[in-house]
Amino acid sequence: MSTHNVWTHKGTFLLAAVGSAVGLGNLWRFPYLAGENGGGAFILIYALTIFAVGIPILIAEIMLGRNSRRSPIMGMRFLTRTHKTSRGWESIGWLGAASAFIILSFYSVIAGWAIHYTGKMLTGSLEGADAETIAAGFDALLASPPLLTLYHTLFIGASALIVGLGIHRGIENGLRILMPALFVILMVVLVYAAAIGDLQGAADFLFTFHLADLSLEGWLEAMGQSFFTLSLGMGAIMAYGAYMSGEASLTRTAFTIAVVDTAVAMIAGLAIFALVFGAGLDPAEGPGLMFITLPLAFAEMPGGALLGGVFFVLVLGAAISSSISLIEPVAAFLVERFDLTRPQAVSAMVVASWALGLLTVFSFNLMAEGTVFHSLFGRSAFGLLELLTNIFMPLGGLLIALFAGWALTHGEVMKEMRTNETWFSVWRFLVRFVAPAAVAFVFLRTIPQVEGYWIPTIGAVVIVGAFAAGRTFLAERQES
Ligand code: PHE
């Protein structure tokens, strides 16, 4: 059974894809990574990767979804048959589903922290608090498994509710309210930050390029972030693409997604650093930038409680419009493959991902540094899951680029792209050569991290490989 569902409006795909792309990656991860890696140079590499590698892969991924009109797993199976290519490409669908499942598990825990801070801000309980109090508050949150589990459950539950209602009643309607509201809030935060913070300082920090400041690690980090922020290589965009109108232009849509996503990251960065510099705080706090430094800035400024509350609502909304895009590919697969109803499929996916999320919850307390788990694996469970997605995401992107660039024929791609020969050649060159080279480069960052994990890593690859090979073999026997 295939889903021949299409979004109600021609522009809904764009709305949904922007909703997926704009999330914690823009508001939390981008600013702290830029802050840690010296600002301007990091942004230069980040933007270059988005345009030279991200957009071409984005086009490829949307194309695969729209052409198959199925969830990523079933869609890739369909495409390998109709285009008579190796069935090994089906791994794109499985890899995407696995990464979506893992990312959702920790994304929800971190988004849950924003629920906590929304409450803290709106009740004014941080007003006038000093740096120690705020840092201690964050530590106390992380030390509490019940509290973290509660927020994680609330967040993932809300996301499930939206997807469970279906693509029209749930996702489309939800996004049509959420996205414009987020835009307004972002503008309010920017204007306020510009009025009371140090916007000039923020702009100097973000847009002065000293390439020498950038370490190799920072360089790779920037490229990895550009994949994450565009939601690439994980089936999210492919799943949404399956519902995209055949009339909308692929290249124009992909370009718009990337521009909006980058603009949001820059605006969020400007606003956050204007507040941080205005309060004389450190931009290089790391992951605590949003949960320690920024609340401190809010605590000290006039009207900070309200602005902070509004800001964290923005974070929550952006996170939820991304988390629903992580549920959709797997849920749609369960509906297509096992004929589950949508609520059943969504529940199955979300309950399993919720349970995996508990590992992230415990990574900050019961299984934190100094515990048996940590000494056994050398990092937290959260760290391990993150590492796994750092491998799966670029790998998925690489395979998508190779499949679209090499396995599909000129005519097939032209039919979907409907662009002129020059653009087509540029795109094809980028997905054939530039994107694979860039991804290979990003893997350089993963290799030192994998050191000491060779056995589990090879084990995971062997299991996934054997699974894919077994399925291919079975399917081929069935066919003949
Ligand atoms: N792009 C999202 C963000 O920036 C995260 C995400 C990654 C969402 C992959 C879906 C798929 O927050």
Side-chain angles (χ1 to χ4, degrees):
M1 187 180 111
S2 68
T3 16
H4 278 287
N5 249 324
V6 177
W7 298 115
T8 317
H9 298 280
K10 202 172 137 190
T12 306
F13 170 78
L14 182 61
L15 190 72
V18 166
S20 172
V22 171
L24 294 176
N26 307 59
L27 304 176
W28 169 65
R29 206 157 179 262
F30 168 77
Y32 91 68
L33 286 176
E36 277 182 332
N37 291 289
F42 177 90
I43 292 184
L44 186 65
I45 302 301
Y46 166 84
L48 277 179
T49 316
I50 295 237
F51 285 88
V53 183
I55 293 181
I57 299 185
L58 200 54
I59 293 176
E61 195 170 334
I62 305 170
M63 176 161 63
L64 299 186
R66 186 165 78 176
N67 198 243
S68 70
R69 294 248 172 260
R70 286 165 173 77
S71 73
I73 295 177
M74 302 303 271
M76 284 312 298
R77 174 180 296 185
F78 172 80
L79 291 178
T80 58
R81 289 201 185 144
T82 47
H83 296 286
K84 305 216 171 37
T85 63
S86 156
R87 305 217 29 196
W89 295 112
E90 284 180 17
S91 52
I92 291 175
W94 290 104
L95 213 59
S99 335
F101 179 73
I102 296 172
I103 294 192
L104 178 66
S105 80
F106 61 72
Y107 202 82
S108 166
V109 175
I110 296 174
W113 301 349
I115 303 183
H116 182 76
Y117 279 90
T118 308
K120 285 263 177 229
M121 289 293 157
L122 291 179
T123 56
S125 63
L126 291 182
E127 251 169 296
D130 60 10
E132 277 95 86
T133 317
I134 291 185
F138 186 52
D139 289 341
L141 169 67
L142 294 192
S144 166
L147 212 50
L148 292 180
T149 307
L150 171 71
Y151 294 134
H152 167 47
T153 312
L154 286 176
F155 183 82
I156 213 168
S159 314
L161 208 65
I162 297 178
V163 186
L165 284 173
I167 69 160
H168 301 300
R169 230 158 30 107
I171 300 181
E172 274 194 299
N173 283 343
L175 290 173
R176 215 167 293 140
I177 302 168
L178 200 57
M179 299 309 288
L182 294 183
F183 180 74
V184 173
I185 296 180
L186 185 65
M187 287 304 138
V188 169
V189 172
L190 178 69
V191 168
Y192 200 79
I196 66 164
D198 179 4
L199 192 65
Q200 188 60 45
D204 289 345
F205 178 66
L206 289 176
F207 303 124
T208 316
F209 308 111
H210 296 293
L211 259 187
D213 291 351
L214 197 62
S215 61
L216 176 67
E217 171 65 20
W219 185 298
L220 300 173
E221 196 84 82
M223 295 180 71
Q225 167 64 9
S226 59
F227 275 76
F228 184 79
T229 194
L230 288 182
S231 306
L232 286 182
M234 122 156 12
I237 294 295
M238 216 190 289
Y240 279 171
Y243 312 130
M244 184 187 187
S245 137
E247 288 150 41
S249 153
L250 271 184
T251 36
R252 202 165 326 130
T253 308
F255 197 77
T256 312
I257 298 168
V259 168
V260 174
D261 185 72
T262 309
V264 172
M266 299 298 157
I267 293 174
L270 276 176
I272 289 175
F273 288 119
L275 295 175
V276 167
F277 289 139
L281 300 170
D282 175 19
E285 169 74 37
L289 179 67
M290 186 194 275
F291 298 105
I292 299 174
T293 314
L294 204 55
L296 185 58
F298 287 133
E300 288 171 359
M301 72 178 71
L306 185 60
L307 183 70
V310 165
F311 176 82
F312 281 104
V313 169
L314 167 70
V315 174
L316 271 177
I320 218 165
S321 66
S322 298
S323 64
I324 57 180
S325 77
L326 290 163
I327 301 177
E328 179 61 28
V330 182
F333 164 68
L334 296 175
V335 170
E336 286 169 19
R337 178 72 182 75
F338 300 107
D339 255 337
L340 299 186
T341 64
R342 188 163 255 274
Q344 285 169 339
V346 170
S347 312
M349 154 73 170
V350 164
V351 168
S353 188
W354 175 86
L356 185 65
L358 294 180
L359 284 181
T360 295
V361 164
F362 298 145
S363 294
F364 299 103
N365 36 68
L366 305 179
M367 288 155 53
E369 230 172 307
T371 60
V372 180
F373 184 94
H374 208 285
S375 15
L376 210 60
F377 292 96
R379 61 176 74 205
S380 66
F382 173 44
L384 285 176
L385 292 174
E386 244 195 326
L387 176 61
L388 216 55
T389 51
N390 281 348
I391 300 173
F392 284 4
M393 272 191 85
L395 197 60
L398 171 70
L399 291 175
I400 289 171
L402 292 175
F403 181 72
W406 295 95
L408 297 182
T409 64
H410 184 146
E412 287 157 358
V413 175
M414 266 315 230
K415 229 175 29 215
E416 278 293 338
M417 291 244 284
R418 273 180 278 127
T419 174
N420 61 40
E421 280 292 333
T422 319
W423 274 120
F424 174 79
S425 312
V426 171
W427 171 81
R428 182 111 126 176
F429 177 75
L430 292 172
V431 283
R432 280 191 161 183
F433 303 105
V434 178
V439 174
F441 193 58
V442 171
F443 270 117
L444 287 179
R445 158 157 154 265
T446 324
I447 289 168
Q449 295 176 331
V450 171
E451 213 181 319
Y453 299 99
W454 286 114
I455 297 175
T457 307
I458 293 172
V461 171
V462 167
I463 292 171
V464 174
F467 182 70
R471 293 189 54 88
T472 310
F473 177 70
L474 281 178
E476 267 160 16
R477 283 212 353 194
Q478 265 172 14
E479 267 171 18
S480 56

